[in-house]
Amino acid sequence: MGQFWERGQLILEILRGWPLRLLDGVLVVLLVYTILVLIGERRTLWMVRGFIVLLLASTISRNVGLALLAFVLDKLVIGSAVAMAFILQGEFRRLLEQIGRGRLGQLLVIADREMMTSQPDNVIDELVDAIKELSQNRIGALIIVETDRPIDERDFSVPGVKLNAEVSRELLQTIFQTSTLLHDGAVLVRGTRVVAAGVILPISERSASRQLGTRHRAAMGITERVEDCICLVVSEETGSISVAEGGRLIRPLTSSKLRELLSARLSLSADRDSVTPQLRSLSKRLRSQGRSLLQRLPFFSSSASRGKK
């Protein structure tokens, strides 16, 4: 009799705690969903998966009683968390800012839209045609093309003037005419849009050839600071075409070589393994299944029928 009483008490304690366990599980699922939505790049996603595996292994080893292994895994988890804080500092900064403003839902919508953005072939054609014309006329130009995540404006010396216009060779050629007010700065291209013009970039501190002007050093400077972009440069003196990537210049380039390089770089960013579409379709399926399940419940169906009447 005593054993049955103890088992009954144990079952009651478990049942009393199930709402908290359910809430705990729901919060963990929401947190993982948020992380997966914010992260769309394949290598970063693998890194987060590795961190989650380490965390789970540490928790399991601690519960099983493997004290030494749990100690080592705990240290690895702490070190991995610190490393990820440095590597993903832009994402963490944006997440904390939006949480502080109470705009977490807006952050997820922005991240979803940004990960779905890709560079179609006609944008590459417009860029190459504009660069070719500017090179033939020996008109200096500096164009930043984002390849993955949006560039933080704090990485610029001066953010420039907002445009938000469709990319076209006529617009780019007009901006870099010496008679316009914005020709001295850089143009920022994001997806299919010219986001800003007249952007002032930080100058590279690396030792470079004396033949390189301010535009080339600015292109090297922004690509040193930001990995997710390439910079197209047209020399005003010689009309030569250069591309800056990772703080290094690829020069001189022909228009055909420039087209090949842009197609290779931008196709890599467009083909990255984004998890957002699958998550969105999964959330829609879960929502529809949840509605159908609620409608099958007696209380919900009776109240719905009363509402219709």
Side-chain angles (χ1 to χ4, degrees), residues 31-173:
L31 179 61
V32 173
Y33 176 82
T34 304
I35 293 173
L36 293 178
V37 167
L38 291 175
I39 297 172
E41 201 268 328
R42 182 183 298 178
R43 290 175 298 174
T44 308
L45 187 60
W46 286 346
M47 183 171 58
V48 173
R49 286 175 179 172
F51 178 75
I52 293 174
V53 169
L54 278 179
L55 194 60
L56 290 175
S58 174
T59 304
I60 292 172
S61 60
R62 192 183 305 109
N63 292 333
V64 170
L66 302 175
L68 183 59
L69 180 60
F71 175 79
V72 174
L73 289 176
D74 284 341
K75 301 305 178 185
L76 283 176
V77 167
I78 295 172
S80 301
V82 173
M84 288 177 60
F86 281 101
I87 296 172
L88 304 176
Q89 56 180 337
E91 284 78 3
F92 279 119
R93 181 173 58 195
R94 191 161 55 120
L95 175 63
L96 293 176
E97 286 178 356
Q98 297 297 335
I99 290 176
R101 296 175 184 175
R103 299 176 181 176
L104 185 58
Q106 181 181 357
L107 176 65
L108 296 179
V109 173
I110 293 174
D112 187 7
R113 186 175 65 249
E114 287 170 355
M115 282 190 277
M116 294 297 293
T117 302
S118 62
Q119 257 93 358
D121 292 336
N122 62 338
V123 174
I124 297 176
D125 293 338
E126 296 292 331
L127 288 172
V128 172
D129 291 342
I131 291 293
K132 183 179 179 180
E133 291 291 331
L134 293 168
S135 173
Q136 291 175 352
N137 297 323
R138 293 194 177 184
I139 299 174
L142 185 58
I143 302 175
I144 314 161
V145 182
E146 293 179 350
T147 57
D148 197 350
R149 297 286 180 175
I151 301 175
D152 194 334
E153 290 186 352
R154 284 173 286 189
D155 291 319
F156 301 141
S157 299
V158 178
V161 179
K162 302 291 185 183
L163 294 182
N164 193 23
E166 285 287 338
V167 174
S168 66
R169 60 178 180 271
E170 294 84 3
L171 175 61
L172 295 174
Q173 292 175 24

Side-chain angles (χ1 to χ4, degrees), residues 161-211:
V161 179
K162 302 291 185 183
L163 294 182
N164 193 23
E166 285 287 338
V167 174
S168 66
R169 60 178 180 271
E170 294 84 3
L171 175 61
L172 295 174
Q173 292 175 24
T174 302
I175 290 173
F176 289 111
Q177 295 297 321
T178 55
S179 57
T180 63
L181 297 176
L182 302 176
H183 76 280
D184 277 336
V187 165
L188 176 61
V189 174
R190 176 178 300 156
T192 61
R193 313 291 291 180
V194 176
V195 179
V199 180
I200 306 301
L201 304 180
I203 303 297
S204 174
E205 298 179 356
R206 290 185 181 180
S207 58
S209 173
R210 294 181 180 179
Q211 298 177 353

